[in-house]
Amino acid sequence: MNIPDLAEKIVKQDRRALARAITLIESTKPEHRAQAAALMEALRRDDHQAVRIGLSGTPGVGKSTFIESFGMMLTGQGLRVAVLAVDPSSARSGGSILGDKTRMERLSRDPNAFIRPSPSQTHLGGVARRTREAVAVCEAAAFDAVLIETVGVGQSETVVAEMSDLFILLLAPAGGDELQGVKRGIMEMADLILINKADGDLKPAATRTCSDYAGALRLLRKRPQDPEGFPKALMVSAVEEHGLDKAWEEMTALTAWRRENGHFAGRRAEQARYWFEQEVRRGLLARLETPEAKAAMQEIAVKVADGEIVPSLAAQEMLQQIKG
Amino acid sequence: MNIPDLAEKIVKQDRRALARAITLIESTKPEHRAQAAALMEALRRDDHQAVRIGLSGTPGVGKSTFIESFGMMLTGQGLRVAVLAVDPSSARSGGSILGDKTRMERLSRDPNAFIRPSPSQTHLGGVARRTREAVAVCEAAAFDAVLIETVGVGQSETVVAEMSDLFILLLAPAGGDELQGVKRGIMEMADLILINKADGDLKPAATRTCSDYAGALRLLRKRPQDPEGFPKALMVSAVEEHGLDKAWEEMTALTAWRRENGHFAGRRAEQARYWFEQEVRRGLLARLETPEAKAAMQEIAVKVADGEIVPSLAAQEMLQQIKG
């Protein structure tokens, strides 16, 4: 594959080149990994910058409908939108969050939108790397907004927050004990909480839920990366398409403030560092995944299980073998 | 240090040798690590087998009082009891769960009891290894029961369950929404749930909580390692010292059944294997902790943060350096 040519086409917003690049990134073959790294390096100096928006919401909050309506609103304003997903569970279930594009029929036919389902890999680490690199490729392809969606499975929310400029929590209206349902750690990551389904019969419940969350957010310690009034809780209706423009205004205002105050670039630098460290750890542990290492590991593990050697000595023996 | 001599003294139930051995195990110095491994290997063939009892409970459930009363009940039956702790937070707070032995005044003066606070190490991995090896040393020193206590911080419950034959969850009586407070994953690890403080004014609440949990346990899928009726929920009062003998009877019955059916030995074999694999991973990642590796990591991380190199290429560079 001609990497400089592929990079050039991506920058010229060639959709097929973009799709091919992401397929390359998703491959686990060593030669593809090397090409992918070269591509990332070729695109590094590109200075397009999208707003990277992480979006978390459990099934049932209307995430697909929200992404479709929100995405259409953005393309309606002349903006180009990419949608990616982090779903480590997709390998097991066979399908991925966005696998069924019919769920976002209008947006998927929009020439200014690009939708890519979650790759089917068992390890969150693999999904994370692929998505992080796909975000950078979409950015080089001059998308204005990149939405990265996730269901709240295990650590996937943290992973998405670590590759986003803004982290949005999408919730449905609920009863009074709803606050207990959202883990404190997730609340603390959110820049904006959107209560969806603020329409019809659910409007009163949405109003109450929104005010509950607004109150809860005020109780959190102020973060240096937030101007006065943030993080916020807002109501939206993806179905009736209202509140979406207001939500986008808030995102734009927050991003502008962070750019002015150095938090935008600062956060991206921190994230790059984080991913570098994660990749080093991942790469180191990958030495246990070669056929030879696996065979040695298995052989020693049997001895350990049989009580022929204690775990710590056995580990030392295994580590010697990996070194040699 | 004369390791064969130390091992011999431990087997002869010499308390000072036991304390010295655990201090050796807690050391992070490479020469001490090698001696500790030799000690573990020397004690490996010892065939004493204690019942390893993992005990989890958040602050406020009366864990110290329970351990004291339960421990005294066991020593009263002529059994020898060791108490260890896994508390990764102890490094930060300066003290450890069991640091204040006055909390267990009677038990700490009992010649048939041995109490050792949690080591102060920042990483759960370090605490885990030390405790797991300390359990084996206590076992060689012919203790009949080894209690491993933990507060529910992060992954510490999983760590304790992975080194225990029985995992006990200690809870306090509470309102009707209590079930939500215990994570499903923790419930699924429990062999026995003990509702403490079933005395005085709290007795009705304890009865209700106990019945709630008994109901919840019946809803869980049956595990192969459980005979009919397990896992169970029981009421105890550590203060009034009642229900403790019944709890011990249940533990004994469960252990006997598991021994007969091969689950006891099977579980220990699995655990040994688990710790072997954990230690290999830990040892591999320790290669990033040498002064040279840390310096190289820092140097490259700065370039990554400055956008001079993409994270994936930078990681490859770093991994090459560690290899060389």
Side-chain angles (χ1 to χ4, degrees):
Chain A
M1 197 174 291
N2 186 334
I3 296 300
D5 180 58
L6 185 62
E8 206 184 311
K9 282 180 175 157
I10 288 167
V11 174
K12 285 183 179 153
Q13 311 184 9
D14 178 331
R15 293 174 71 94
R16 283 188 51 207
L18 176 60
R20 273 176 59 214
I22 297 182
T23 304
L24 177 68
I25 286 168
E26 285 177 6
S27 171
T28 51
K29 288 189 188 156
E31 66 269 31
H32 290 165
R33 286 303 315 147
Q35 288 181 324
L39 177 65
M40 299 315 295
E41 187 59 23
L43 294 173
R44 180 173 58 83
R45 291 190 191 284
D46 183 85
D47 55 2
H48 280 112
Q49 219 173 38
V51 183
R52 304 173 181 173
I53 305 169
L55 181 74
S56 176
T58 45
V61 301
K63 199 145 33 84
S64 318
T65 316
F66 173 82
I67 293 172
E68 169 134 298
S69 296
F70 188 71
M72 293 300 291
M73 188 266 297
L74 293 178
T75 59
Q77 294 188 13
L79 299 170
R80 298 178 70 237
V81 182
V83 183
L84 305 169
V86 168
D87 178 13
S89 65
S90 67
R92 243 170 302 149
S93 65
S96 63
I97 304 187
L98 289 165
D100 183 9
K101 281 198 187 177
T102 55
R103 291 192 304 136
M104 298 184 195
E105 209 184 334
R106 285 188 301 152
L107 193 62
S108 64
R109 278 177 298 153
D110 190 318
N112 284 321
F114 176 84
I115 300 181
R116 183 82 179 197
S118 183
S120 41
Q121 289 182 5
T122 12
H123 296 295
L124 182 55
V127 177
R129 174 170 59 191
R130 167 288 202 188
T131 309
R132 180 176 55 78
E133 293 183 347
V135 168
V137 174
C138 288
E139 201 156 35
F143 282 90
D144 300 290
V146 180
L147 288 168
I148 311 144
E149 86 158 310
T150 186
V151 291
V153 187
Q155 295 296 306
S156 70
E157 277 148 329
T158 308
V159 160
V160 167
E162 281 294 345
M163 58 178 81
S164 304
D165 301 315
L166 301 172
F167 186 71
I168 315 289
L169 195 56
L170 195 70
L171 298 173
D177 59 348
E178 160 70 17
L179 277 184
Q180 297 194 5
V182 176
K183 282 170 265 161
R184 190 186 164 89
I186 306 296
M187 280 268 292
E188 286 173 344
M189 292 194 298
D191 294 306
L192 213 54
I193 292 181
L194 300 179
I195 315 297
N196 191 22
K197 304 191 182 179
D199 45 49
D201 288 353
L202 287 172
K203 193 141 191 194
T207 308
R208 205 171 47 237
T209 303
C210 186
S211 125
D212 284 351
Y213 276 97
L217 287 173
R218 275 192 295 271
L219 293 179
L220 295 180
R221 192 168 25 176
K222 194 178 173 320
R223 306 176 304 180
Q225 70 271 31
D226 290 329
E228 206 53 55
F230 279 94
K232 277 184 189 174
L234 300 174
M235 280 188 282
V236 298
S237 164
V239 172
E240 294 185 353
E241 300 184 8
H242 89 89
L244 302 171
D245 43 358
K246 170 74 176 155
W248 175 240
E249 269 171 38
E250 296 288 358
M251 293 181 208
T252 311
L254 180 56
T255 309
W257 188 89
R258 287 188 181 165
R259 275 187 207 278
E260 270 169 42
N261 292 274
H263 294 295
F264 192 90
R267 178 86 185 112
R268 286 208 172 182
E270 266 172 37
Q271 289 176 341
R273 194 176 172 137
Y274 171 88
W275 288 111
F276 158 64
E277 289 169 359
Q278 290 288 107
E279 291 253 332
V280 172
R281 280 196 199 91
R282 222 177 111 74
L284 211 47
L285 291 177
R287 293 183 188 172
L288 298 174
E289 301 302 323
T290 64
E292 300 76 34
K294 276 182 171 170
M297 197 80 178
Q298 172 60 21
E299 196 185 318
I300 302 178
V302 169
K303 287 188 201 163
V304 171
D306 288 349
E308 287 173 37
I309 182 170
V310 293
S312 45
L313 268 193
Q316 284 177 24
E317 195 180 298
M318 183 65 209
L319 288 165
Q320 278 302 332
Q321 286 200 27
I322 299 173
K323 204 168 215 162
Chain B
M1 200 174 291
N2 186 334
I3 296 298
D5 179 60
L6 185 62
E8 208 183 310
K9 282 181 177 157
I10 288 168
V11 174
K12 286 183 180 155
Q13 310 184 9
D14 178 331
R15 291 174 72 95
R16 282 189 53 205
L18 177 60
R20 273 176 60 212
I22 297 182
T23 304
L24 177 68
I25 286 168
E26 285 178 5
S27 170
T28 51
K29 287 189 190 157
E31 67 268 32
H32 290 165
R33 285 307 311 149
Q35 288 180 324
L39 176 66
M40 299 315 296
E41 186 59 24
L43 295 174
R44 181 173 59 84
R45 290 190 191 285
D46 182 85
D47 55 3
H48 280 112
Q49 218 172 39
V51 183
R52 305 173 182 173
I53 305 169
L55 182 73
S56 175
T58 46
V61 301
K63 198 144 36 78
S64 318
T65 316
F66 173 81
I67 292 173
E68 168 135 298
S69 297
F70 188 70
M72 293 300 290
M73 187 264 300
L74 293 178
T75 57
Q77 295 189 13
L79 299 171
R80 297 179 70 238
V81 182
V83 183
L84 305 168
V86 169
D87 179 12
S89 66
S90 67
R92 241 171 303 148
S93 64
S96 62
I97 304 187
L98 290 166
D100 184 9
K101 280 197 186 177
T102 55
R103 292 192 307 135
M104 297 185 197
E105 208 185 332
R106 283 188 303 153
L107 193 62
S108 64
R109 277 177 299 154
D110 191 319
N112 284 321
F114 176 83
I115 300 182
R116 183 81 180 197
S118 183
S120 40
Q121 288 183 6
T122 11
H123 295 296
L124 182 55
V127 177
R129 174 171 56 189
R130 167 290 203 185
T131 309
R132 180 176 57 76
E133 293 183 347
V135 168
V137 174
C138 289
E139 201 156 34
F143 282 91
D144 300 291
V146 180
L147 287 169
I148 310 143
E149 88 159 307
T150 186
V151 291
V153 187
Q155 295 297 305
S156 68
E157 275 147 330
T158 309
V159 159
V160 168
E162 282 294 344
M163 57 178 80
S164 303
D165 301 316
L166 300 173
F167 186 71
I168 315 290
L169 195 55
L170 195 70
L171 298 173
D177 58 348
E178 160 71 15
L179 277 183
Q180 296 193 7
V182 177
K183 282 170 265 162
R184 191 187 163 89
I186 306 296
M187 279 269 291
E188 285 171 345
M189 292 193 299
D191 294 307
L192 213 54
I193 291 182
L194 300 180
I195 315 297
N196 192 21
K197 304 191 183 180
D199 44 50
D201 288 354
L202 288 172
K203 193 142 190 191
T207 308
R208 207 172 46 237
T209 303
C210 187
S211 125
D212 285 352
Y213 275 97
L217 287 173
R218 275 192 295 272
L219 295 178
L220 296 179
R221 192 169 24 178
K222 193 180 173 321
R223 306 176 303 180
Q225 70 270 34
D226 290 329
E228 206 55 56
F230 279 92
K232 276 185 190 174
L234 299 176
M235 281 189 279
V236 298
S237 164
V239 171
E240 294 186 353
E241 299 184 7
H242 89 90
L244 302 172
D245 45 357
K246 171 73 176 156
W248 175 240
E249 269 171 37
E250 295 288 358
M251 293 181 208
T252 310
L254 180 56
T255 308
W257 188 88
R258 286 187 182 165
R259 276 187 207 276
E260 268 169 43
N261 292 274
H263 294 294
F264 191 90
R267 178 85 186 116
R268 286 208 171 181
E270 266 173 37
Q271 288 177 341
R273 195 178 172 136
Y274 171 86
W275 289 111
F276 159 64
E277 289 169 0
Q278 289 287 106
E279 291 252 336
V280 172
R281 282 196 198 91
R282 221 177 112 74
L284 210 49
L285 292 176
R287 293 183 187 172
L288 298 174
E289 301 302 323
T290 64
E292 300 76 34
K294 275 182 170 171
M297 198 80 177
Q298 173 59 22
E299 195 186 320
I300 302 178
V302 169
K303 286 189 200 163
V304 171
D306 288 348
E308 286 172 38
I309 182 169
V310 293
S312 45
L313 268 193
Q316 284 177 23
E317 195 179 298
M318 182 67 209
L319 288 165
Q320 278 302 331
Q321 286 200 26
I322 300 172
K323 204 169 216 161

